[in-house]
Amino acid sequence: MHLLAERFKFTRRVGELKAQGGLPPAAPDRDGQQIARRAGIARAAGVAPEFAEQFRAFLVHEVIRHHERIAAEHAASGEGTPVLDTYS
């Protein structure tokens, strides 16, 4: 649970940066790459690739949901799109 909390802390920051930069919450074109990569990692670790994919899909769904919320909050703030500080 602690690892998931840490992961979501970082993905929240990614969501904030995406909202500031006007980027979409999801990147469907990256999904295929990630699925293939994680299937290989799962096999090497002795984990069923199907389980790894279900777990990945759950995490991605939650991250996108959070990113959509962050984007909506940013849009509602009326702040516009600030300059994206990639070093923050």
Side-chain angles (χ1 to χ4, degrees):
M1 289 299 113
H2 293 286
L3 289 174
L4 285 174
E6 282 296 307
R7 185 186 195 287
F8 280 112
K9 181 170 54 174
F10 289 113
T11 59
R12 175 169 180 73
R13 183 66 182 133
V14 169
E16 292 166 354
L17 292 171
K18 283 182 172 184
Q20 289 174 1
L23 298 169
D29 52 319
R30 240 176 78 79
D31 246 11
Q33 296 168 345
Q34 292 299 316
I35 290 168
R37 182 170 107 25
R38 290 206 171 106
I41 293 169
R43 278 191 283 283
V47 174
E50 298 79 15
F51 171 76
E53 170 50 21
Q54 289 174 349
F55 189 70
R56 185 208 64 83
F58 170 75
L59 289 176
V60 168
H61 172 76
E62 285 300 300
V63 168
I64 290 171
R65 191 173 65 83
H66 292 173
H67 288 189
E68 288 171 342
R69 189 190 77 243
I70 292 166
E73 289 169 358
H74 181 76
S77 73
E79 295 175 13
T81 303
V83 174
L84 181 59
D85 177 7
T86 57
Y87 297 103
S88 66

